[in-house]
Amino acid sequence: MRLGVIADRLVLIDGETAVDLEQAGNGRFPAEPAQLFDDWGALAGWAATVEPDGPRLSLDQLQNPVPAPRQVFGVGANYRDHLAEASGRTVEDLEQFLPEDPLIFTKFRSCLAGPADVIPLPSRNVDWEVELVVVMGRHAERVSEKDAWRHVAGLTVGQDISERVLQMAGPAPQFSMGKSFPAFGPMGPVLVTPDELHDPDDLELGCTLNGRVMQKGRTSGLIFSVAELIARISAVCPMLPGDVIFTGTPAGVGAFRKPPVFLKPGDTLTSWVKGIGELRNPVVAGHGYPETGEGATS
Ligand code: ZN
């Protein structure tokens, strides 16, 4: 099953078009995105058997499929190749330095955005991080790794946009603030249930900046897998239906390039996970972006 949101209403994706979920289900399922997980089990069962019927909607208007999660979890340094670039080590040298615990933070919910939304830059130090985003379907509290996937509703594509100076500013790094400016969390274009994917633990993902490939990896390269993340997080925080996890990014972010590359007004950032879809976010100068002098747009 592939689900999305168009005009703030839930839709069921059927090939190259979509149908309104509430209409297709004759009122049995909600229109309101925040209610998507209220009867998730019944919806999944129904969608597997039904031929969706109703007026066809264009996929051009897709919005964030999960616009109002109650909790947003982020994971830092969760791919070997990214940890290697961030720590200045080779992937081969890394084994003895692999973390025993995942680095968890939050992206505050007001930063979430849609698959085609504009990203306003607050500074010249804004970087990209393509990520697989996990969406929880069931309440998960102290679940085991073995049981973890049963609590997942589906997967989507995310960008963990990051202001690198604020991320490291203060007495200790504060990832949550540096990663939570408006539109720093584009998601979409659709929510895909795991059964639609050949191997949900091994998905190709990547991003391009103005058509140039900047990141390309596979989720099989995660240090802490989706199941292990759910086990680790739910051991502390009960996870609620609709909660999302930004699972981490592979190598190729801008900050560790020589010289570093950061987003600038006029850029287009395209992010994809094979089998799920693509985000395409234009970048503009936002409030606080320097207009002249040091750090000005050329
Ligand atoms: Zn990230």
Side-chain angles (χ1 to χ4, degrees):
M1 175 170 55
R2 305 170 83 86
L3 288 154
V5 171
I6 293 176
D8 300 323
R9 292 175 62 87
L10 288 164
V11 297
L12 193 57
I13 314 296
D14 183 30
E16 297 303 306
T17 58
V19 294
D20 188 271
L21 180 66
E22 186 185 39
Q23 288 174 16
N26 285 320
R28 188 171 162 206
F29 302 109
E32 169 60 44
Q35 292 170 8
L36 175 59
F37 305 98
D38 289 359
D39 198 4
W40 178 253
L43 173 58
W46 169 82
T49 57
V50 78
E51 274 297 319
D53 198 17
R56 296 283 149 172
L57 305 167
S58 162
L59 301 187
D60 294 344
Q61 303 302 315
L62 282 166
Q63 300 164 287
N64 180 356
V66 189
R70 285 173 286 185
Q71 303 185 93
V72 179
F73 301 95
V75 188
N78 200 23
Y79 281 82
R80 281 177 172 73
D81 58 355
H82 176 57
L83 184 57
E85 71 177 356
S87 62
R89 297 189 168 94
T90 64
V91 173
E92 294 69 36
D93 285 345
L94 201 63
E95 286 306 316
Q96 57 180 312
F97 298 103
L98 287 180
E100 287 176 14
D101 298 288
L103 167 55
I104 308 289
F105 55 91
T106 187
K107 287 174 80 70
F108 296 107
R109 191 172 104 170
S110 57
C111 80
L112 299 181
D117 285 350
V118 163
I119 301 170
L121 301 177
S123 79
R124 288 192 66 175
N125 305 301
V126 178
D127 203 348
W128 55 85
E129 296 190 352
V130 65
E131 310 205 353
L132 176 72
V133 172
V134 174
V135 182
M136 304 303 289
R138 297 170 52 191
H139 185 101
E141 192 164 355
R142 295 185 298 276
V143 301
S144 67
E145 256 181 77
K146 192 166 69 65
D147 260 356
W149 271 108
R150 288 198 309 113
H151 296 76
V152 173
L155 303 170
T156 191
V157 186
Q159 256 293 347
D160 179 19
I161 304 288
S162 305
E163 210 285 349
R164 297 299 189 196
V165 174
L166 181 58
Q167 179 180 346
M168 295 303 182
Q174 47 176 344
F175 284 25
S176 301
M177 286 295 276
K179 292 165 174 277
S180 291
F181 283 94
F184 270 29
M187 288 169 54
V190 293
L191 173 65
V192 177
T193 51
D195 60 287
E196 296 257 335
L197 301 161
H198 172 65
D199 180 356
D201 277 310
D202 183 22
L203 302 169
E204 188 180 293
L205 78 171
C207 79
T208 66
L209 185 61
N210 306 323
R212 178 182 165 205
V213 177
M214 300 308 252
Q215 294 188 279
K216 193 170 178 187
R218 302 192 73 88
T219 60
S220 50
L222 284 167
I223 297 170
F224 296 95
S225 68
V226 169
E228 192 168 3
L229 288 173
I230 291 168
R232 294 286 199 124
I233 295 169
S234 76
V236 178
C237 305
M239 302 181 81
L240 311 171
D243 284 358
V244 301
I245 312 170
F246 283 72
T247 55
T249 200
V253 301
F256 302 120
R257 291 176 177 268
K258 294 182 179 55
V261 180
F262 293 111
L263 295 173
K264 56 186 191 314
D267 283 349
T268 300
L269 182 63
T270 304
S271 318
W272 47 272
V273 177
K274 211 168 183 177
I276 299 176
E278 183 178 283
L279 315 175
R280 192 176 168 81
N281 299 102
V283 178
V284 299
H287 183 74
Y289 193 84
E291 286 172 24
T292 55
E294 174 81 5
T297 322
S298 58

